[in-house]
Amino acid sequence: MPATTASSLPAQFTELEPWVADWAHPTRQERYDMRLSKTFDELAAFYDAIAPRAEEAIEYLNGLDLDDLPEDATRLLRLLYSMIIVSYAVNVFDQPRIPDSGAAFFDTTAEPAV
């Protein structure tokens, strides 16, 4: 009998599985660091895979209790968070970093509860 692999995402979003390892990080800082570690083409590929499914993912997540999300839904939510961070690089900056920002940076002092 062939081995099966369990998806770490809800069943209707399994095609997004290749993006989980890099992009479903729990903190904004980890997601931002991942953005900075990728080339523009890698960011665009991620964005192009996730963005068309974003509305459907939001609708799915809206049907769940935010205070009691299953792990697969939490990973899907984190992919959406990463898509938002990547969207600026892809749609506005045309590069992973914020242009003309020099050595400036910011640290997040609080994270959302989920």
Side-chain angles (χ1 to χ4, degrees), residues 1-96:
M1 179 183 288
T4 58
T5 57
S7 173
S8 66
L9 293 171
Q12 61 268 50
F13 300 101
T14 57
E15 80 280 0
L16 303 178
E17 190 70 34
W19 307 103
V20 170
D22 279 351
W23 293 104
H25 293 290
T27 69
R28 186 220 152 269
Q29 188 62 52
E30 288 173 292
R31 294 186 290 272
Y32 188 74
D33 290 345
M34 183 59 64
R35 178 179 118 179
L36 296 180
S37 77
K38 299 291 186 182
T39 67
F40 179 80
D41 290 339
E42 290 169 320
L43 296 177
F46 169 70
Y47 181 82
D48 290 346
I50 304 297
R53 301 296 309 277
E55 290 297 323
E56 182 183 353
I58 291 167
E59 185 176 321
Y60 172 81
L61 292 167
N62 281 341
L64 301 174
D65 180 359
L66 188 61
D67 293 323
D68 193 27
L69 282 180
E71 285 297 315
D72 60 349
T74 298
R75 282 186 284 277
L76 180 62
L77 180 62
R78 290 173 179 167
L79 287 180
L80 290 175
Y81 288 161
S82 289
M83 183 203 70
I84 293 165
I85 287 177
V86 168
S87 70
Y88 294 101
V90 172
N91 295 317
V92 179
F93 306 139
D94 284 331
Q95 62 183 11

